[in-house]
Amino acid sequence: MELSFDGIGQVAATFQTEAQEAEDTAKLATGHVVALTAANTVGFGTAGAAPCGVVLALEGDQTAAVQVEGFARVSYSGAAAPAVGWTSLGVDGSGGVQTASTGGRSVLVVQVDDAAKTAIIKL
């Protein structure tokens, strides 16, 4: 039997997104991890900030459906992969997560793929 965590416990909410300039090199996209950057607003956030969730869909009116609970596959950055188990993760400021020594948010990491630099976490 193959293990899968896809869609388990998924809860989503709609948020405004930070305004993005046409010349921005990094654009918010589906699958990016976001942080709250203002009331009702998500964006890449400052490295180390607590993750709010994962972008499921973006709309033309500067809104996004964001998964705020449940299992999600996220990318990670940094020299060390997140440890499996309960660990503190923060956003990396470019759509992924990184291990947070201060700040961040405690999440359950159930799987890490070192080659793809992804992890499955429970928000």
Side-chain angles (χ1 to χ4, degrees):
M1 175 166 75
E2 185 175 330
L3 297 177
S4 175
F5 296 92
D6 293 342
I8 297 174
Q10 187 179 72
V11 174
T14 303
F15 290 88
Q16 287 296 129
T17 60
E18 287 185 326
Q20 298 184 63
E21 301 299 323
E23 64 272 2
D24 281 354
T25 55
K27 295 276 191 193
L28 202 56
T30 301
H32 279 158
V33 180
V34 291
L36 278 173
T37 56
N40 308 318
T41 306
V42 295
F44 287 120
T46 304
C52 170
V54 179
V55 176
L56 297 175
L58 291 163
E59 299 298 327
D61 64 352
Q62 300 276 66
T63 61
V66 177
Q67 180 180 345
V68 295
E69 287 186 28
F71 288 91
R73 182 179 308 273
V74 298
S75 63
Y76 69 85
S77 63
V84 171
W86 287 99
T87 191
S88 185
L89 297 179
V91 297
D92 64 7
S94 60
V97 295
Q98 61 187 9
T99 301
S101 54
T102 60
R105 174 180 171 189
S106 183
V107 299
L108 178 61
V109 178
V110 296
Q111 183 183 80
V112 175
D113 182 337
D114 291 321
K117 292 200 81 149
T118 61
I120 297 176
I121 65 172
K122 181 182 180 299
L123 295 163

